[in-house]
Amino acid sequence: MGYLERSADIDRFVAAHTQDVVLIADPTGCIQWISPSVERLLGWDPNHPQGHLSREFVHPDDLLALVDLQARSYAGETVEARIRVRHAD
């Protein structure tokens, strides 16, 4: 196993064990992976959001912030944001 493969494994391990919700989405905003913490924090089964667009879970007032976050992320910036999202109930 090469360095990049180990690095990706470490990144995924850290994301899976964080207290925050972390997700990986493609350029269209389609969720590819979401951290297991989504169940504890938001009540979602971690498999449910996968395949859905991230904007489906964002508060309408925060959609512009999400668009900006995604654009900066895809441009190669390291980004962090606080965006309101729906709880499962």
Side-chain angles (χ1 to χ4, degrees):
M1 180 181 293
Y3 171 77
L4 290 178
E5 292 163 323
R6 283 193 306 274
S7 179
D9 287 344
I10 291 168
D11 290 347
R12 192 167 290 265
F13 176 83
V14 169
H17 292 87
T18 185
Q19 297 299 312
D20 298 322
V21 174
V22 177
L23 65 86
I24 297 170
D26 69 15
T28 69
C30 184
I31 299 170
Q32 304 299 305
W33 179 85
I34 195 161
S35 59
S37 58
V38 75
E39 186 167 19
R40 182 176 36 78
L41 295 171
L42 297 173
W44 292 104
D45 176 316
N47 294 312
H48 174 76
Q50 292 181 26
H52 290 269
L53 295 173
S54 53
R55 68 176 174 251
E56 295 176 41
F57 301 96
V58 173
H59 189 284
D61 292 343
D62 292 343
L63 285 175
L64 289 177
L66 176 66
V67 170
D68 178 62
L69 171 76
Q70 289 174 326
R72 291 175 35 222
S73 175
Y74 298 131
E77 288 185 48
T78 298
V79 294
E80 180 178 325
R82 292 181 187 257
I83 295 175
R84 293 171 290 179
V85 296
R86 285 190 306 130
H87 192 277
D89 66 4

